[in-house]
């Protein structure tokens, strides 16, 4: 893929040199840094704010309460992890954090959950049933509050920053249900 990008860049630069449009290249090179900075700073601020909210929720016990609410559901979804409360807690944390749209903050819990599931995996070089189910949940998980999309839409001065939310909730709920149904069908088919 790097080779393809390199070829495209060289092709574009060659075309600009041949057609005598060097000024366009200079303009792009000078403005791309400012545009990138203007794009990234609002995202970083939004992530810092919501990670702070997540930290407060964790310290206040809200995350623990939500994790406990998910435990009965997760015990049925991950029967081979029924007795491993630590791994189920990590899975619940990942799901809850993903639901509020903080995928980057959910990654450490997700990686630790995968490590916990690997301990129960009899075939270490193949993903277990629980790992695949967790991957489905993590990939197609229900998102109630898409913080990154809201920050992006706000940075581009959207008229209705949260107007997409009902559709996002519906789409991610539908994707999660279909993903879990296919996962269950595939497992019971074997």
């Amino acid at each position: 893929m790097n080779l393809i990008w390199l070829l495209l860049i060289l092709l574009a630069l060659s075309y600009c040199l041949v057609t005598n449009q060097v000024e366009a290249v200079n303009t792009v090179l000078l403005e791309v840094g400012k545009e990138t900075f203007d794009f990234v700073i609002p995202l970083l601020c939004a992530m810092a704010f919501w990670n702070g909210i997540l930290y407060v929720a964790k310290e206040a016990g809200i995350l623990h309460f939500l994790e406990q609410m998910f435990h009965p559901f997760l015990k049925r979804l991950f029967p081979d992890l029924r007795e491993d409360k630590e791994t189920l807690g990590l899975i619940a944390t990942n799901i809850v954090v993903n639901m509020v749209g903080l995928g980057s903050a959910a990654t450490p819990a997700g990686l630790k959950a995968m490590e916990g599931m690997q301990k129960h995996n009899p075939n270490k070089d193949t993903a277990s049933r629980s790992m695949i189910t967790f991957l489905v949940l993590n990939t197609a998980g229900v998102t109630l509050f898409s913080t990154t999309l809201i920050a992006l839409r706000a940075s581009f001065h959207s008229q209705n920053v949260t107007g997409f939310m009902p559709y996002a909730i519906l789409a991610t709920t539908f994707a999660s249900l279909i993903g879990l149904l296919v996962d269950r069908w595939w497992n019971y088919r074997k």
Side-chain angles (χ1 to χ4, degrees):
M1 193 63 176
N2 289 340
L3 183 62
I4 293 171
W5 280 111
L6 180 64
L7 289 173
L8 287 173
I9 290 169
L10 290 175
L11 184 66
L13 288 174
S14 300
Y15 178 79
C16 288
L17 287 173
V18 169
T19 59
N20 202 21
Q21 295 181 2
V22 178
E23 188 63 34
V25 174
N26 288 337
T27 303
V28 168
L29 289 176
L30 293 174
E31 290 181 5
V32 75
K34 181 189 178 310
E35 290 175 6
T36 303
F37 184 79
D38 291 343
F39 177 72
V40 169
I41 291 299
L43 285 178
L44 287 175
C45 292
M47 286 296 116
F49 174 75
W50 286 109
N51 281 327
I53 294 292
L54 181 65
Y55 180 77
V56 169
K58 183 178 181 180
E59 291 297 315
I62 296 169
L63 271 182
H64 181 69
F65 172 74
L66 292 171
E67 287 173 11
Q68 295 305 316
M69 284 179 47
F70 276 101
H71 269 265
F73 171 70
L74 293 177
K75 284 181 181 180
R76 293 181 58 84
L77 203 57
F78 301 97
D80 52 332
L81 302 175
R82 195 174 294 239
E83 302 303 319
D84 190 351
K85 290 188 181 216
E86 180 184 354
T87 302
L88 285 176
L90 290 167
I91 292 170
T93 299
N94 180 274
I95 291 169
V96 168
V97 175
N98 270 327
M99 287 178 99
V100 294
L102 293 173
S104 59
T107 301
L111 292 174
K112 288 180 184 175
M114 281 292 197
E115 286 176 6
M117 286 182 266
Q118 183 68 1
K119 292 176 189 172
H120 301 280
N121 189 359
N123 191 359
K124 301 294 184 195
D125 60 343
T126 304
S128 68
R129 174 184 171 194
S130 293
M131 290 175 163
I132 293 169
T133 302
F134 178 65
L135 186 63
V136 168
L137 271 179
N138 199 10
T139 304
V142 176
T143 303
L144 300 176
F145 196 71
S146 301
T147 54
T148 305
L149 282 176
I150 290 171
L152 280 171
R153 289 171 60 95
S155 70
F156 286 107
H157 311 293
S158 174
Q159 295 288 327
N160 187 1
V161 175
T162 58
F164 71 96
M165 292 289 294
Y167 308 108
I169 293 169
L170 186 65
T172 57
T173 301
F174 188 69
S176 296
L177 289 174
I178 296 298
L180 287 174
L181 286 172
V182 169
D183 177 59
R184 291 296 135 200
W185 172 77
W186 188 265
N187 282 313
Y188 289 121
R189 187 179 65 91
K190 289 183 178 181

